[in-house]
Amino acid sequence: MFRLLIALDNKRIMTNNKHYKQPTSVLVVIYNNNQQILLLERADKPGYWQSVTGSQEPDETLEQTAIRELAEETGIHSSTINNWHQSSIFEIYPHWRHRYAPGVTHNTEHVFSLCIAADTPIYLAPREHLRYVWCSLEQAIEQVFSPSNRAALLQLPQHW
């Protein structure tokens, strides 16, 4: 017998006893005091460059998610992250939909930013990212694969 249960208690989505990512995430644009942008290359999709991203966990605020993802993906620990109070909804790429509950096709992404010193060490999570690069805003806009990441980068000068 096939049993399907979708529970939204504390924003946790469970179907057939499998936990899925919830379709609420953060995007954290990191830049340094020289106005260079930090980009990360995805380990699961080499050639795909992005800012820090990640899904909200149960019982986390968006700010907590941004701070956690920042630390996990770059080794940067900061609580002075800038919440833009801005979000966008986008269609989840088909090759990543298996991470979400059946029928989930869209994600709401909330934008944050952080300015760090140019000499701040970056420690990548090797399961998530292959390498990082500092580049100009124009290069970053051209390099990122995600339209929502590109849109945030275009707005970044308003948040320097």
Side-chain angles (χ1 to χ4, degrees):
M1 180 174 158
F2 181 73
R3 191 174 116 234
L4 176 67
L5 170 69
I6 299 179
L8 292 176
D9 95 282
N10 293 327
K11 298 184 182 176
R12 182 177 313 208
I13 299 174
M14 192 171 90
T15 305
N16 293 338
N17 298 321
K18 181 176 178 185
H19 292 277
Y20 292 94
K21 291 175 82 165
Q22 57 184 347
T24 304
S25 65
V26 297
L27 171 74
V28 183
V29 177
I30 302 168
Y31 61 99
N32 65 30
N33 46 359
N34 296 327
Q35 296 186 341
Q36 294 176 307
I37 312 304
L38 178 68
L39 293 183
L40 312 172
E41 183 179 20
R42 293 186 66 100
D44 62 354
K45 280 289 199 185
Y48 278 46
W49 291 87
Q50 65 181 46
S51 296
V52 168
T53 63
S55 293
Q56 188 177 35
E57 295 289 339
D59 300 322
E60 274 185 336
T61 66
L62 291 170
E63 287 80 6
Q64 290 168 331
T65 301
I67 290 166
R68 176 182 51 79
E69 289 293 342
L70 176 69
E72 288 176 2
E73 295 187 14
T74 67
I76 298 170
H77 297 274
S78 176
S79 59
T80 58
I81 204 156
N82 181 20
N83 185 343
W84 292 13
H85 300 284
Q86 175 181 321
S87 64
S88 63
I89 298 172
F90 63 86
E91 186 172 358
I92 300 165
Y93 286 92
H95 55 268
W96 284 315
R97 285 194 190 155
H98 68 278
R99 298 174 178 177
Y100 299 86
V104 174
T105 58
H106 288 77
N107 183 75
T108 303
E109 182 177 71
H110 301 266
V111 184
F112 293 80
S113 63
L114 177 68
C115 181
I116 61 174
D119 61 352
T120 301
I122 306 298
Y123 301 101
L124 297 180
R127 290 181 47 200
E128 293 194 44
H129 298 102
L130 299 174
R131 57 192 168 133
Y132 70 90
V133 65
W134 287 103
C135 58
S136 71
L137 179 60
E138 294 76 21
Q139 291 168 323
I141 290 167
E142 289 296 317
Q143 190 71 24
V144 295
F145 76 93
S146 163
S148 63
N149 200 161
R150 187 171 298 111
L153 289 167
L154 287 166
Q155 295 178 35
L156 181 61
Q158 299 169 32
H159 300 274
W160 292 127

